[in-house]
């Protein structure tokens, strides 16, 4: 929900030509983490330290 609001706000601001003209390449790169910060490309790993892994020794 929060990410959707940020994306909408960025779109509204950058749709105005006076703001887009002020943006440099570095500024546009800095926006990327705001838009993609919620994405986890590696998946989610749950670690339970109370459970041992079933590793055989031997």
């Amino acid at each position: 929900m929060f990410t959707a609001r940020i994306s909408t706000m960025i779109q509204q601001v950058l749709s105005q030509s006076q703001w887009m003209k002020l943006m440099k390449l570095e500024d546009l790169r800095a926006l990327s983490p705001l838009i993609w910060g919620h994405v986890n490309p590696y998946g989610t790993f749950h670690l339970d330290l109370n459970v041992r892994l079933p590793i055989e020794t031997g």
Side-chain angles (χ1 to χ4, degrees), residues 1-51:
M1 183 73 170
F2 179 72
T3 307
R5 284 186 269 162
I6 288 177
S7 297
T8 304
M9 183 172 48
I10 291 170
Q11 288 176 352
Q12 289 173 348
V13 170
L14 295 182
S15 68
Q16 300 171 19
S17 62
Q18 70 269 21
W19 285 109
M20 196 60 192
K21 289 177 187 174
L22 293 173
M23 298 295 284
K24 296 183 172 82
L25 184 59
E26 293 82 13
D27 299 324
L28 294 173
R29 275 198 309 253
L31 289 176
S32 182
L34 291 175
I35 298 169
W36 295 100
H38 68 288
V39 175
N40 184 352
Y42 306 108
T44 302
F45 300 94
H46 300 282
L47 180 61
D48 186 355
L49 296 176
N50 295 317
V51 177

